[in-house]
Each structure stands twice: as C-alpha cells, then as structure tokens.
Amino acid sequence: MNDLRWPPPPDGFPRRLGKPRNSAPNTGRPAPPALPTEVVDTPHGVQLERLMTGVGTPVTVFAHGLGHGIAETRPLGSAVAGKRVFFQFRGHGESSSPRGAWDYGDLARDLRAVADMTGATRALGVSLGAGALCRLLAETPDRFEKVVMFLPAVLDRPRPEAARRRLVNLLEAINSGDLPTVANAVVEEIPPSARNGASGWAYVRQRLNTLMNTGLSSGLLTLPDQVPVPDVNLLRDVSAQVLVIGCIGDDLHPSSVAEQLAAVLPDVRLHIYNRPAVLWHERADLRERISAFLNA
C-alpha cells in the first residue's frame, strides 16, 4: 500500500498514514478524547468491539454504516438519555471477521447480540445499520420500543447500478490498498463548499486513517448486491415507534427508500432533509431531532 497521504493536507506538508490518533485542524478546538473500547464475545461466536457511555435506563444501541463505526455514531447519541451502546459490526475496527461472505442476516445477529447483552430497548441504525435493523425487526417485530432509521439505503429491491458500483469500487479499493481511489470516494462524502477547508481536510485524513489502517474485511464485498429484507411488507407488524430520516440528493441513500420504509411501518414519523450531507449541514438539528424522539 502506498503510505503517502492523498490528497495533501491544507498546510502543504506531507503526511504519512500511521496509527490513527486524535488530531484536529488548527482551529483552536481540540479533538475529543478517544474513549476506551472493549471486545466482547457474543453467543453466535463473533467478537465485537463495543463502547458504552451514559448510565441507567433506557438503553439504546447504535448501529453504524458501511466503512464507519463507533466514532461516527457517537455524535448522534450525545443528547440521548440513559445508557448508550456503540459497537462495530463484524469486519470493522477491532471486531472479528468470520470466514466467508456475509449477508444482512449476519449483521442483524451482531446487532441483536449487542442489544440482548445490554438490555437495549431502543435502537438507531445508520445506512448499513438501518438495513441490519430492518432485518432484525422483520424477524422480531416487537424487539424494540423505539427505533430511529437514519439514511436507509436499501430495502427489498436491489440498489441502482450506479450506487452499487460506487460501493463495490470503494470496497475493492480498500482491500487492494488503492489509496487515491479511496481518497476520491471519501471526498465525495463532503459537501463541495467544505472540500477545501480545514474541516474537510481533517475529515479526509481521519477517514483515510480508519479505512486504510483497520481496513474492511473481504466478507463485506458481496453486501452491495444484497437486500436487507426479502419483502418490505414484513415490517408492517413492527410494534415500535419509529423515526425515519432521509434526505434529497443522496445517490447512496435515496429519499424514496426512506419514504417506502415509512409507508409500511404502523407507528412512524418521517423527516426528509432538503439536501444531502446531513451530518455536515444539519448536525445540530439532527441530534436534537433524534434525542427529542428517543427521550420523549
């Protein structure tokens, strides 16, 4: 793997990929301290990396998106009451990587194990995590009391070819160590207005450190071709109160998927943001919306 950072940082000095560390642009705002995680055994034999914050009840479990992890879901729970349980799916971070290809049923087992082990009664899923959560609820409609689905990407129909190819290319580039291709994909996650600023460069550096050092297991390579549930109508029996959040203009997370999901859930609220990159443009509103729903 080429160990030179790409693109170059805004100060013009070269950076080398190394062990991820806390870092931040020179804005006067320090990076938040990294909290210690633990690796726990699950009943289905997969070891999963976990972080728990907060105390008491209720307990909420947070399921991240593809190529993301605990660091990306933590901000979504910052104002959520009770105990918050963050974890890494198999093939991510320090979690184990069982042999063979995986499907959403495997991810749902990971999520279920973490929820059962901690007594979680609420759950939040982001993108891939929302898909795993849909699969879990299709199998056990009464498992949670409250659920948040943020940026659901796919339900019972295959992804559009452009979105599928984009994910496949990213996963293949990570596994082959193709740093420029991974960097270009990460830049696509950033709003154009922020790509040349300090926050944009800091985001690229952080994501490259995560993706190129911890990597992603090859077991994830087939996921872009799969769907979480065989039939979305299996979700009509879900008993939980659900908040579905989507946005317009995101090719990987079409607003039509959020609308389709909301249409079949019995007790649901739907919110669609009017532009993509929600975590960049609407972070404060998103955190308030999630906490208001879960804390009510």
PDB file of all heavy atoms in Angstrom, residues 150-165:
ATOM      1  N   PHE A 150     -31.823   6.148  10.183  1.00  0.00           N
ATOM      2  CA  PHE A 150     -31.207   7.320   9.571  1.00  0.00           C
ATOM      3  C   PHE A 150     -30.555   6.923   8.248  1.00  0.00           C
ATOM      4  O   PHE A 150     -29.682   6.054   8.205  1.00  0.00           O
ATOM      5  CB  PHE A 150     -30.173   7.914  10.531  1.00  0.00           C
ATOM      6  CG  PHE A 150     -29.422   9.099   9.987  1.00  0.00           C
ATOM      7  CD1 PHE A 150     -30.080  10.112   9.309  1.00  0.00           C
ATOM      8  CD2 PHE A 150     -28.057   9.210  10.154  1.00  0.00           C
ATOM      9  CE1 PHE A 150     -29.389  11.218   8.803  1.00  0.00           C
ATOM     10  CE2 PHE A 150     -27.354  10.298   9.660  1.00  0.00           C
ATOM     11  CZ  PHE A 150     -28.030  11.296   8.979  1.00  0.00           C
ATOM     12  N   LEU A 151     -30.983   7.550   7.181  1.00  0.00           N
ATOM     13  CA  LEU A 151     -30.458   7.315   5.834  1.00  0.00           C
ATOM     14  C   LEU A 151     -30.524   5.839   5.418  1.00  0.00           C
ATOM     15  O   LEU A 151     -29.516   5.240   5.017  1.00  0.00           O
ATOM     16  CB  LEU A 151     -29.021   7.822   5.707  1.00  0.00           C
ATOM     17  CG  LEU A 151     -28.802   9.321   5.901  1.00  0.00           C
ATOM     18  CD1 LEU A 151     -27.325   9.662   5.735  1.00  0.00           C
ATOM     19  CD2 LEU A 151     -29.654  10.135   4.930  1.00  0.00           C
ATOM     20  N   PRO A 152     -31.717   5.230   5.481  1.00  0.00           N
ATOM     21  CA  PRO A 152     -31.822   3.857   4.963  1.00  0.00           C
ATOM     22  C   PRO A 152     -31.463   3.843   3.484  1.00  0.00           C
ATOM     23  O   PRO A 152     -31.867   4.725   2.725  1.00  0.00           O
ATOM     24  CB  PRO A 152     -33.293   3.510   5.203  1.00  0.00           C
ATOM     25  CG  PRO A 152     -33.999   4.834   5.276  1.00  0.00           C
ATOM     26  CD  PRO A 152     -33.020   5.776   5.908  1.00  0.00           C
ATOM     27  N   ALA A 153     -30.694   2.841   3.066  1.00  0.00           N
ATOM     28  CA  ALA A 153     -30.144   2.828   1.707  1.00  0.00           C
ATOM     29  C   ALA A 153     -30.843   1.848   0.782  1.00  0.00           C
ATOM     30  O   ALA A 153     -30.900   2.068  -0.433  1.00  0.00           O
ATOM     31  CB  ALA A 153     -28.653   2.504   1.758  1.00  0.00           C
ATOM     32  N   VAL A 154     -31.339   0.751   1.334  1.00  0.00           N
ATOM     33  CA  VAL A 154     -31.931  -0.295   0.502  1.00  0.00           C
ATOM     34  C   VAL A 154     -32.868  -1.117   1.379  1.00  0.00           C
ATOM     35  O   VAL A 154     -32.642  -1.268   2.576  1.00  0.00           O
ATOM     36  CB  VAL A 154     -30.815  -1.175  -0.119  1.00  0.00           C
ATOM     37  CG1 VAL A 154     -30.004  -1.873   0.962  1.00  0.00           C
ATOM     38  CG2 VAL A 154     -31.362  -2.162  -1.126  1.00  0.00           C
ATOM     39  N   LEU A 155     -33.929  -1.639   0.765  1.00  0.00           N
ATOM     40  CA  LEU A 155     -34.894  -2.461   1.494  1.00  0.00           C
ATOM     41  C   LEU A 155     -35.021  -3.832   0.829  1.00  0.00           C
ATOM     42  O   LEU A 155     -34.221  -4.700   1.061  1.00  0.00           O
ATOM     43  CB  LEU A 155     -36.244  -1.744   1.586  1.00  0.00           C
ATOM     44  CG  LEU A 155     -36.252  -0.467   2.436  1.00  0.00           C
ATOM     45  CD1 LEU A 155     -37.561   0.280   2.293  1.00  0.00           C
ATOM     46  CD2 LEU A 155     -35.980  -0.815   3.897  1.00  0.00           C
ATOM     47  N   ASP A 156     -36.032  -3.999  -0.038  1.00  0.00           N
ATOM     48  CA  ASP A 156     -36.235  -5.304  -0.681  1.00  0.00           C
ATOM     49  C   ASP A 156     -35.954  -5.276  -2.179  1.00  0.00           C
ATOM     50  O   ASP A 156     -36.205  -6.264  -2.871  1.00  0.00           O
ATOM     51  CB  ASP A 156     -37.648  -5.822  -0.416  1.00  0.00           C
ATOM     52  CG  ASP A 156     -38.733  -4.871  -0.925  1.00  0.00           C
ATOM     53  OD1 ASP A 156     -38.395  -3.749  -1.369  1.00  0.00           O
ATOM     54  OD2 ASP A 156     -39.915  -5.248  -0.876  1.00  0.00           O
ATOM     55  N   ARG A 157     -35.445  -4.169  -2.671  1.00  0.00           N
ATOM     56  CA  ARG A 157     -35.109  -4.060  -4.088  1.00  0.00           C
ATOM     57  C   ARG A 157     -33.626  -3.751  -4.227  1.00  0.00           C
ATOM     58  O   ARG A 157     -33.068  -3.006  -3.422  1.00  0.00           O
ATOM     59  CB  ARG A 157     -35.925  -2.941  -4.752  1.00  0.00           C
ATOM     60  CG  ARG A 157     -37.440  -3.114  -4.616  1.00  0.00           C
ATOM     61  CD  ARG A 157     -38.166  -1.886  -5.102  1.00  0.00           C
ATOM     62  NE  ARG A 157     -39.597  -1.960  -4.834  1.00  0.00           N
ATOM     63  CZ  ARG A 157     -40.450  -0.953  -5.007  1.00  0.00           C
ATOM     64  NH1 ARG A 157     -39.981   0.226  -5.440  1.00  0.00           N
ATOM     65  NH2 ARG A 157     -41.732  -1.113  -4.744  1.00  0.00           N
ATOM     66  N   PRO A 158     -32.963  -4.303  -5.238  1.00  0.00           N
ATOM     67  CA  PRO A 158     -31.531  -4.049  -5.409  1.00  0.00           C
ATOM     68  C   PRO A 158     -31.242  -2.564  -5.574  1.00  0.00           C
ATOM     69  O   PRO A 158     -32.080  -1.789  -6.033  1.00  0.00           O
ATOM     70  CB  PRO A 158     -31.178  -4.814  -6.690  1.00  0.00           C
ATOM     71  CG  PRO A 158     -32.233  -5.864  -6.813  1.00  0.00           C
ATOM     72  CD  PRO A 158     -33.489  -5.242  -6.251  1.00  0.00           C
ATOM     73  N   ARG A 159     -30.051  -2.166  -5.186  1.00  0.00           N
ATOM     74  CA  ARG A 159     -29.614  -0.788  -5.371  1.00  0.00           C
ATOM     75  C   ARG A 159     -29.553  -0.438  -6.859  1.00  0.00           C
ATOM     76  O   ARG A 159     -29.289  -1.319  -7.689  1.00  0.00           O
ATOM     77  CB  ARG A 159     -28.214  -0.587  -4.784  1.00  0.00           C
ATOM     78  CG  ARG A 159     -28.131  -0.588  -3.282  1.00  0.00           C
ATOM     79  CD  ARG A 159     -26.691  -0.445  -2.840  1.00  0.00           C
ATOM     80  NE  ARG A 159     -26.574  -0.272  -1.388  1.00  0.00           N
ATOM     81  CZ  ARG A 159     -26.567  -1.267  -0.525  1.00  0.00           C
ATOM     82  NH1 ARG A 159     -26.673  -2.512  -0.954  1.00  0.00           N
ATOM     83  NH2 ARG A 159     -26.465  -1.036   0.772  1.00  0.00           N
ATOM     84  N   PRO A 160     -29.723   0.833  -7.200  1.00  0.00           N
ATOM     85  CA  PRO A 160     -29.431   1.258  -8.570  1.00  0.00           C
ATOM     86  C   PRO A 160     -27.995   0.919  -8.933  1.00  0.00           C
ATOM     87  O   PRO A 160     -27.105   0.930  -8.069  1.00  0.00           O
ATOM     88  CB  PRO A 160     -29.658   2.774  -8.523  1.00  0.00           C
ATOM     89  CG  PRO A 160     -30.582   2.992  -7.374  1.00  0.00           C
ATOM     90  CD  PRO A 160     -30.224   1.931  -6.368  1.00  0.00           C
ATOM     91  N   GLU A 161     -27.742   0.620 -10.201  1.00  0.00           N
ATOM     92  CA  GLU A 161     -26.420   0.153 -10.606  1.00  0.00           C
ATOM     93  C   GLU A 161     -25.322   1.152 -10.253  1.00  0.00           C
ATOM     94  O   GLU A 161     -24.221   0.762  -9.840  1.00  0.00           O
ATOM     95  CB  GLU A 161     -26.408  -0.131 -12.100  1.00  0.00           C
ATOM     96  CG  GLU A 161     -25.062  -0.573 -12.657  1.00  0.00           C
ATOM     97  CD  GLU A 161     -24.490  -1.799 -11.968  1.00  0.00           C
ATOM     98  OE1 GLU A 161     -25.276  -2.619 -11.427  1.00  0.00           O
ATOM     99  OE2 GLU A 161     -23.248  -1.955 -11.950  1.00  0.00           O
ATOM    100  N   ALA A 162     -25.587   2.445 -10.412  1.00  0.00           N
ATOM    101  CA  ALA A 162     -24.555   3.449 -10.122  1.00  0.00           C
ATOM    102  C   ALA A 162     -24.159   3.407  -8.647  1.00  0.00           C
ATOM    103  O   ALA A 162     -22.973   3.487  -8.303  1.00  0.00           O
ATOM    104  CB  ALA A 162     -25.043   4.837 -10.504  1.00  0.00           C
ATOM    105  N   ALA A 163     -25.135   3.268  -7.752  1.00  0.00           N
ATOM    106  CA  ALA A 163     -24.845   3.197  -6.321  1.00  0.00           C
ATOM    107  C   ALA A 163     -24.129   1.896  -5.978  1.00  0.00           C
ATOM    108  O   ALA A 163     -23.179   1.878  -5.180  1.00  0.00           O
ATOM    109  CB  ALA A 163     -26.137   3.324  -5.520  1.00  0.00           C
ATOM    110  N   ARG A 164     -24.576   0.793  -6.585  1.00  0.00           N
ATOM    111  CA  ARG A 164     -23.930  -0.494  -6.328  1.00  0.00           C
ATOM    112  C   ARG A 164     -22.461  -0.472  -6.755  1.00  0.00           C
ATOM    113  O   ARG A 164     -21.575  -0.891  -6.022  1.00  0.00           O
ATOM    114  CB  ARG A 164     -24.671  -1.604  -7.086  1.00  0.00           C
ATOM    115  CG  ARG A 164     -24.193  -3.009  -6.729  1.00  0.00           C
ATOM    116  CD  ARG A 164     -24.673  -4.027  -7.744  1.00  0.00           C
ATOM    117  NE  ARG A 164     -23.922  -3.902  -8.985  1.00  0.00           N
ATOM    118  CZ  ARG A 164     -22.732  -4.451  -9.204  1.00  0.00           C
ATOM    119  NH1 ARG A 164     -22.129  -5.153  -8.253  1.00  0.00           N
ATOM    120  NH2 ARG A 164     -22.115  -4.296 -10.353  1.00  0.00           N
ATOM    121  N   ARG A 165     -22.207   0.066  -7.946  1.00  0.00           N
ATOM    122  CA  ARG A 165     -20.843   0.104  -8.454  1.00  0.00           C
ATOM    123  C   ARG A 165     -19.967   1.005  -7.600  1.00  0.00           C
ATOM    124  O   ARG A 165     -18.795   0.699  -7.356  1.00  0.00           O
ATOM    125  CB  ARG A 165     -20.871   0.586  -9.906  1.00  0.00           C
ATOM    126  CG  ARG A 165     -19.513   0.795 -10.582  1.00  0.00           C
ATOM    127  CD  ARG A 165     -18.539  -0.322 -10.375  1.00  0.00           C
ATOM    128  NE  ARG A 165     -19.047  -1.643 -10.703  1.00  0.00           N
ATOM    129  CZ  ARG A 165     -18.400  -2.765 -10.441  1.00  0.00           C
ATOM    130  NH1 ARG A 165     -17.223  -2.734  -9.825  1.00  0.00           N
ATOM    131  NH2 ARG A 165     -18.926  -3.925 -10.769  1.00  0.00           N
TER     132      ARG A 165
END
